[in-house]
Amino acid sequence: MLRRFSPRNPNKREQLSSRQIFILILCAVIAGIFLLRIPAKEANPLASDTLVTLHIPRGAPFTQIADSLIQQGLIESRRRFYWSARLKGKTDELQAGTYRVPGGLSYGKLVNFLSVAQPLQIRVTIPEGLEFEETAILLSKHFSFSAEDFAAYKDSAHLFHLPFEISSLEGFLYPETYDFYENASPREIIRRLIRQFLVEVDDSLRQVIRQKGKTVEEIITVASIIQGEAMIHDEMPVIASVYYNRLKRGMKLQADPTIQYIVPGPKIRLRQRHLEINSPYNTYLYRGLPPGPVNSPGRDAILAAVFPDTTKYLYFVARGDGSHVFSRTHREHLKAKAAFQQVRWEVYRQQQREKAPSP
């Protein structure tokens, strides 16, 4: 008769597996301690007052980070650095960016430093009157993202939860000087610019805008046109009055900044053919405001749009020195235009004389 096999301890195999796992963990800990005994000293011979610039690219794997540390003289052993980060559970906590790393750190202290250090900051000035795409190009020269990556957010106002409705982010990237971390993303930068916009156009100013029966987007649209026209800030409230007077009378705004907005590329001297471009932004063809802002206006232009001067002016033309001549009637305006054309002609003749070869 066959005997049924009955093991004395049915859990023996499981107990052995657990012991094996425990032994493996113990060996790993002992190996880690052994490897870290020497790295507990300085990981490099650099003096403690030495600062080394280290750049960690976005998405760089741990091995690439270690190679960069070796190249910069901050570590001598890739393996010891790995085990230092592994035992601290920080192999995935070394962030992209550019850092100033002090010399003379141990492997463990170097891991701690890189896991909590803030990247270097970049100071960027965004001028008044830039279009969204122009801002994207400017920022792409300072950061690792492309202008296209930044510009892709133009029609994503819903991502930033503004307290009012807008059709796009054009006009709402507040022009100012900012300090950003070197690894800042387009979304982080846009959020910062919008936050500054909400500081400048705060609740009290938005309440005034509502009391005037206007929306924030309408005010910023007018402000952007003023920003594009004015070189002298004291003239901004007067220019605002001209546009509001024309709107009240049902006249076309005939604002050059709205044409510049639909002409691709850098700002140019407008010709008659540009004034005939069929676009809702063409205020020479269509009455009323364009669909939205045409650039990001500064505070003076915004305040001028909210608090315009009270005038009867309907026209203005450049003098040639940055200021404007304002007129109430079309006849006065034609005289002012003729005077400006004379100034322009004199400038042209002077340029031709300067180019002519001397006898």
Side-chain angles (χ1 to χ4, degrees):
M1 175 182 284
L2 294 174
R3 289 186 179 181
R4 181 179 298 173
F5 177 74
S6 177
R8 296 180 181 178
N9 189 348
N11 295 323
K12 185 175 181 180
R13 180 176 298 176
E14 296 174 0
Q15 289 174 356
L16 287 174
S17 297
S18 299
R19 288 171 186 167
Q20 289 174 343
I21 292 172
F22 174 76
I23 291 171
L24 287 174
I25 293 174
L26 182 61
C27 290
V29 172
I30 293 172
I33 294 173
F34 174 77
L35 288 170
L36 292 178
R37 284 187 63 189
I38 297 177
K41 301 177 182 179
E42 293 179 356
N44 59 70
L46 299 175
S48 59
D49 58 352
T50 301
L51 290 177
V52 178
T53 300
L54 173 70
H55 179 70
I56 300 178
R58 191 180 298 275
F62 187 89
T63 53
Q64 183 178 344
I65 297 173
D67 289 340
S68 297
L69 289 167
I70 290 176
Q71 291 172 5
Q72 297 298 325
L74 289 167
I75 63 172
E76 295 179 335
S77 170
R78 184 186 295 104
R79 178 176 297 179
R80 293 170 185 169
F81 179 69
Y82 169 78
W83 278 106
S84 294
R86 179 70 178 272
L87 292 176
K88 290 177 178 291
K90 295 184 176 181
T91 53
D92 297 324
E93 295 184 17
L94 309 185
Q95 301 297 316
T98 301
Y99 304 89
R100 299 284 192 197
V101 185
L105 296 179
S106 68
Y107 283 82
K109 288 182 178 179
L110 182 58
V111 169
N112 290 336
F113 177 89
L114 293 177
S115 63
V116 299
Q118 294 292 346
L120 295 180
Q121 290 190 328
I122 297 175
R123 176 160 291 185
V124 182
T125 296
I126 300 175
E128 299 172 343
L130 287 191
E131 298 175 13
F132 196 98
E133 283 79 5
E134 292 173 326
T135 303
I137 293 171
L138 171 66
L139 291 170
S140 69
K141 295 177 180 179
H142 296 275
F143 299 92
S144 60
F145 52 77
S146 68
E148 291 75 17
D149 290 340
F150 188 93
Y153 283 90
K154 180 178 178 179
D155 297 320
S156 302
H158 62 281
L159 296 176
F160 299 93
H161 308 293
L162 279 79
F164 44 81
E165 292 293 326
I166 58 175
S167 56
S168 83
L169 291 175
E170 183 72 81
F172 297 91
L173 304 183
Y174 192 78
E176 185 58 272
T177 297
Y178 298 90
D179 290 319
F180 298 108
Y181 288 123
E182 187 268 348
N183 62 343
S185 67
R187 190 165 179 173
E188 290 169 340
I189 292 176
I190 292 172
R191 187 179 295 114
R192 174 78 180 282
L193 271 56
I194 290 176
R195 188 163 66 242
Q196 187 62 35
F197 177 92
L198 295 176
V199 169
E200 302 294 338
V201 186
D202 57 13
D203 289 338
S204 60
L205 187 57
R206 295 200 296 272
Q207 184 176 357
V208 172
I209 292 171
R210 288 192 296 270
Q211 290 172 350
K212 289 178 175 286
K214 301 183 183 302
T215 67
V216 172
E217 187 168 41
E218 288 173 339
I219 288 295
I220 300 304
T221 299
V222 175
S224 70
I225 297 174
I226 297 168
Q227 186 71 65
E229 291 281 16
M231 295 183 66
I232 300 175
H233 283 209
D234 289 346
E235 285 190 347
M236 287 182 170
V238 185
I239 293 175
S241 73
V242 173
Y243 287 129
Y244 284 128
N245 290 341
R246 293 178 73 90
L247 287 171
K248 287 178 183 178
R249 293 194 176 204
M251 300 172 66
K252 296 173 184 175
L253 292 183
Q254 295 184 325
D256 287 357
T258 66
I259 307 300
Q260 295 283 6
Y261 186 69
I262 58 179
V263 176
K267 303 295 187 294
I268 60 172
R269 182 179 173 184
L270 297 176
R271 305 292 184 180
Q272 182 60 36
R273 67 178 183 274
H274 299 126
L275 307 184
E276 298 171 357
I277 297 174
N278 187 11
S279 166
Y281 283 90
N282 188 339
T283 55
Y284 280 81
L285 290 182
Y286 297 98
R287 289 180 171 82
L289 290 175
V294 295
N295 59 57
S296 291
R299 183 167 178 79
D300 286 346
I302 294 172
L303 291 178
V306 179
F307 305 105
D309 280 359
T310 301
T311 75
K312 294 183 179 180
Y313 295 133
L314 293 172
Y315 307 91
F316 63 90
V317 67
R319 274 198 177 96
D321 61 356
S323 64
H324 295 86
V325 177
F326 296 89
S327 305
R328 298 181 182 183
T329 67
H330 191 248
R331 178 178 295 180
E332 292 175 353
H333 179 57
L334 291 178
K335 290 182 180 179
K337 284 184 68 175
F340 175 61
Q341 291 298 333
Q342 184 63 31
V343 170
R344 179 177 286 174
W345 176 244
E346 290 293 337
V347 171
Y348 173 77
R349 287 193 295 185
Q350 179 63 31
Q351 291 174 343
Q352 294 303 309
R353 285 195 294 268
E354 291 174 355
K355 290 180 180 179
S358 57

